[in-house]
């Protein structure tokens, strides 16, 4: 599972989103999550490629299924649930194979 | 690019006919222009056409699509005769910023990400124009009014920094409902230039119009001006100061009525426009058909658009006045198309007529009557559409004859409702002359540009031999036609004959008097001679008498031998 957070420099909303996401990732201890932080002000071509409308945007991509969360992630519920659910599915799949 | 003459604010031309005039040169460069309008009003078309025009001229532009995908946007303008392929991905770029289904709002955000992406694209392409098409979709996704305003200000700042001309299009609600005001009412305040498009029903069809409601740092006309979308895209019907540079022709084409040809210097000028106005039944269609017939007889193609009658009806009716069209229709030289005037916008008619022109490539176009266009969405639109049609025809070298119905039957009412009469090069007015319970058709040439023409009213007569003109009979300041003309002509003939007889009688009377007098002179001369002779005779007698008396005296004296009498001088 790939988790990409697109931020616009050190803007307040970007900073808030980054804090919220990284707090969750800490809880998950980095298990099964490939995390990438993209600053669109430094890498606008990445924003272009991702078809980005707003910052901050969190893109959760798990094998073809993807979700976008736009905003400062102040409401932790939705994105945390999604990431956890994707994580669980991935773990189940790994265990079945193992 | 043209400099704003009045303000020093740089303008970038849109390249759209009429719109640049309305905007006094174009849209402000390095500023934000807001294009507001209801769904289907033509916002995307105008912005895309502007960028297409710029792109063809070598100025790159970028369209950021929020509401539709780039593919959908290209499909929307796919029917226009634009050569998008020549500039797509070279000087015209489309960028998707679609607010997709996988978009979850998760708190507060801003559009710096988007702007960073657009900025990199602007840098890569060198775009000087950026269109944010359907920005309201993004603002709606942003949620609150405050966030929307904040982001729009961010966008405006970004535009100023990037030094690009930006067009933001957004849907507006109904103009009077105030619905838009409550949602994104701040939009016009943030923009430097606001252009509003409306697409409203006028007399049962939808009519497009455009208005510049804000133009910071520059004058604007402020008028609500109709515009049309046809095969070439948008044209704004704004004429002021418009330059006309059509090729002019000196060639004449026959009107199909030889006496009318004679009146206007040999015929209508090729590629000129002719307006034939008149009340119902004044033979407007006949004049059109005569011209069509003459064109086909020369082997030229003609396109006859009829709003009143079907093609078959026209062929039949014209046969009765000696104009045979069916042969030319069968050979394909003449194309007759019957249109229904009601319920279809004048703009749609224009599209159809343009398509027919393209397909048939006529040398002559007849629109009968052009006033039917006014039924389809009001006079202003009709005038705009007519002008557009004439413009198109002129540029293709097509001669145009339009007829126009006069609703007002007052004889001195020669002005048509639409301003077609001012655009047309030649204006022929047909009217009825009512006299002594009879109506007769009268033809007047009101104007004929570049042509010497008669100012005389002529009578237009229709017969199985075709239409022809007759000199009218003027008497005592009265113009007479028809039976009245004939009556008056007969009356004059009689008067003439009566006078002739009278003179004859008078002459012979005088001659007789002179003869008589001469006879009398002869008699008197003879009498005079006789008198003279008698007088001579008397004188001779007298002389004889005198001499004989003297002889007698001498004889007596000699006989008496008397001495001479000194008293008597002897």
């Amino acid at each position: 599972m790939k988790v990409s957070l697109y931020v616009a420099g050190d803007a307040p909303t970007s900073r808030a989103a980054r804090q919220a996401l990284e707090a969750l990732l800490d809880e998950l201890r980095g298990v099964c999550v490939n995390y990438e932080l993209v600053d669109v002000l430094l890498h606008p071509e990445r924003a272009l490629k991702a078809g980005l409308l707003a910052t901050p945007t969190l893109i959760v991509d798990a094998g073809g299924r993807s979700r976008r969360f736009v905003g400062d992630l102040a409401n932790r519920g939705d994105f945390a649930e999604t990431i956890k659910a994707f994580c669980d599915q991935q773990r189940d799949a790994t265990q079945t194979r193992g | 690019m043209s400099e704003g003459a009045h303000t020093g604010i740089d303008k970038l031309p849109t390249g759209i006919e009429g719109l640049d005039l309305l905007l006094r040169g174009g849209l402000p460069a390095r500023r934000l222009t807001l294009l507001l309008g209801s769904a289907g009003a033509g916002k995307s078309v105008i912005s895309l056409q502007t960028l297409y025009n710029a792109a063809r001229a070598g100025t790159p532009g970028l369209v950021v699509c929020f509401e539709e995908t780039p593919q959908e946007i290209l499909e929307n303008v796919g029917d226009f005769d634009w050569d998008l392929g020549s500039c797509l991905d070279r000087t015209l770029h489309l960028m998707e910023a679609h607010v997709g289904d996988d978009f979850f709002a998760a708190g507060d955000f801003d559009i710096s990400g988007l702007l960073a992406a657009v900025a990199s694209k602007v840098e890569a392409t060198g775009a000087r124009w950026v269109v944010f098409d359907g920005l309201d979709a993004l603002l709606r996704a942003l949620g609150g009014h405050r966030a929307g305003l904040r982001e729009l200000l961010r966008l405006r700042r970004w535009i100023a920094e990037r030094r690009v001309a930006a067009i933001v299009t957004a849907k507006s609600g109904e103009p009077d409902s105030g619905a838009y005001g409550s949602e994104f009412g701040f939009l016009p305040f943030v923009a430097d230039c606001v252009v509003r498009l409306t697409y409203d029903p006028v007399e049962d069809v939808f009519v497009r119009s455009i208005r510049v409601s804000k133009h910071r740092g520059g004058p604007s006309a402020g008028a609500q001006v109709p515009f049309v979308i046809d095969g070439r895209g948008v044209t704004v019907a704004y004429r002021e100061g418009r330059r006309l540079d059509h090729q002019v022709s000196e060639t004449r084409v026959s009107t199909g009525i030889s006496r009318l040809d004679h009146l206007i210097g040999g015929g209508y000028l090729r590629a000129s426009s002719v307006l034939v106005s008149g009340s119902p039944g004044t033979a407007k269609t006949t004049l059109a058909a005569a011209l069509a017939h003459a064109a086909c007889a020369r082997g030229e193609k003609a396109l006859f658009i009829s709003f009143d009658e079907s093609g078959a009806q026209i062929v039949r009716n014209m046969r009765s006045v000696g104009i045979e069209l069916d042969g030319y229709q069968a050979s394909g030289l003449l194309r007759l198309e019957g249109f229904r005037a009601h319920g279809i916008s004048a703009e749609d008619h224009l599209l159809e007529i343009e398509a027919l022109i393209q397909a048939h490539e006529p040398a002559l176009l007849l629109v009968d009557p052009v006033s039917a266009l006014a039924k389809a969405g009001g006079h202003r639109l009709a005038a705009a559409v007519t002008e557009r049609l004439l413009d198109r025809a002129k540029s293709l070298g097509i001669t145009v004859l339009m007829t126009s119905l006069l609703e007002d039957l007052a004889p001195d009412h020669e002005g048509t409702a639409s301003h077609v009469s001012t655009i047309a090069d030649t204006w022929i007015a047909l009217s009825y002359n009512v006299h002594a319970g009879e109506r007769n058709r009268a033809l007047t040439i009101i104007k004929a540009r570049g042509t010497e023409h008669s100012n005389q009213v002529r009578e237009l007569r229709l017969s199985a031999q075709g239409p022809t003109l007759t000199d009218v009979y003027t008497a005592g300041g009265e113009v007479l036609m028809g039976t009245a003309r004939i009556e008056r002509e007969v009356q004059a003939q009689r008067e003439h004959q009566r006078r002739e007889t009278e003179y004859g009688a008078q002459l012979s009377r005088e001659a007789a008097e002179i003869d008589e007098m001469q006879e009398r002179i002869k008699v008197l001369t003879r009498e005079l001679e006789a008198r003279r002779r008698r007088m001579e005779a008397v004188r001779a007698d007298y002389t004889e008498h005198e001499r004989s008396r003297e002889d007698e005296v001498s004889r007596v004296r000699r006989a008496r031998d008397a001495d001479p009498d000194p008293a008597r001088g002897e």
Side-chain angles (χ1 to χ4, degrees), chain B residues 554-569:
Chain B
S554 309
R555 190 182 54 87
V556 171
R557 280 178 64 180
R558 260 188 320 262
R560 281 194 304 194
D561 199 21
D563 53 0
D565 184 357
R568 287 175 55 207

Side-chain angles (χ1 to χ4, degrees), chain A residues 44 48 53-55 68 70-73, chain B residues 97 102 104 106 108 110 113-114 116:
Chain A
L48 203 59
L53 293 179
T55 44
R68 281 179 189 223
V70 181
D72 60 6
L73 307 180
Chain B
D102 62 345
F104 292 91
D108 202 8
D110 60 56
L114 168 78

Side-chain angles (χ1 to χ4, degrees), chain B residues 435-550:
Chain B
H435 185 88
E438 191 179 295
R439 278 170 175 267
N440 292 290
R441 296 181 180 91
L443 180 149
T444 320
I445 299 157
I446 295 182
K447 75 167 179 185
R449 279 185 191 141
T451 305
E452 258 185 63
H453 63 273
S454 164
N455 66 348
Q456 298 287 300
V457 177
R458 293 292 196 288
E459 184 179 348
L460 177 65
R461 291 196 303 150
L462 304 181
S463 70
Q465 279 73 50
T468 185
L469 299 180
T470 306
D471 288 336
V472 292
Y473 193 88
T474 50
E478 217 183 344
V479 171
L480 297 176
M481 296 182 193
T483 312
R485 167 176 57 77
I486 294 165
E487 270 177 7
R488 196 54 81 91
E489 278 171 358
V490 168
Q491 204 178 329
Q493 184 65 20
R494 275 198 207 117
E495 176 75 3
H496 174 67
Q497 280 172 348
R498 188 182 62 79
R499 284 263 170 102
E500 209 161 58
T501 322
E502 233 169 55
Y503 282 130
Q506 216 167 337
L507 274 175
S508 51
R509 241 190 346 263
E510 291 298 325
E513 296 256 344
I514 289 170
D515 282 353
E516 195 191 316
M517 218 173 253
Q518 278 173 337
E519 278 310 304
R520 265 161 49 201
I521 288 170
K522 273 183 202 161
V523 171
L524 283 171
T525 311
R526 274 199 302 275
E527 258 176 54
L528 187 66
E529 291 295 312
R531 290 264 159 148
R532 278 200 183 117
R533 278 195 301 276
R534 270 163 62 187
M535 193 177 79
E536 286 303 314
V538 170
R539 188 173 282 144
D541 280 354
Y542 175 68
T543 312
E544 184 57 37
H545 164 76
E546 280 291 291
R547 201 176 56 227
S548 58
R549 197 180 64 93
E550 268 175 31

Side-chain angles (χ1 to χ4, degrees), chain A residues 27-58:
Chain A
E27 279 172 33
L28 297 170
R29 295 175 207 290
V31 180
C32 70
V33 174
N34 180 3
Y35 167 53
E36 184 190 26
L37 182 70
V38 182
D39 185 346
V40 296
L41 299 187
L42 298 175
H43 305 283
E45 73 288 349
R46 292 292 310 274
L48 203 59
K49 201 175 159 204
L52 216 62
L53 293 179
T55 44
T57 293
L58 170 67

Side-chain angles (χ1 to χ4, degrees), chain B residues 10-39:
Chain B
D10 284 355
K11 299 279 186 76
L12 277 180
T14 63
I16 296 173
E17 211 179 308
L19 183 58
D20 286 335
L21 277 169
L22 194 66
L23 291 163
R24 303 280 196 268
L27 293 173
R30 303 188 298 278
R31 300 283 180 119
L32 194 159
T33 295
L34 181 64
L35 204 52
L36 284 174
S38 54

Side-chain angles (χ1 to χ4, degrees), chain B residues 366-421:
Chain B
L366 307 116
V367 185
D368 179 39
V370 78
S371 43
L373 289 174
K375 286 183 196 164
H379 292 300
R380 270 156 53 93
L381 180 74
V385 163
T386 309
E387 196 179 324
R388 184 104 166 97
L389 188 61
L390 288 183
D391 215 41
R392 176 74 155 167
K394 259 189 187 170
S395 69
L396 294 171
I398 299 173
T399 313
V400 184
L401 184 143
M402 304 157 292
T403 69
S404 180
L405 206 60
L406 280 186
E407 304 296 342
D408 201 322
L409 291 170
D412 58 344
H413 232 90
E414 280 168 340
T416 43
S418 75
H419 75 299
V420 176
S421 54

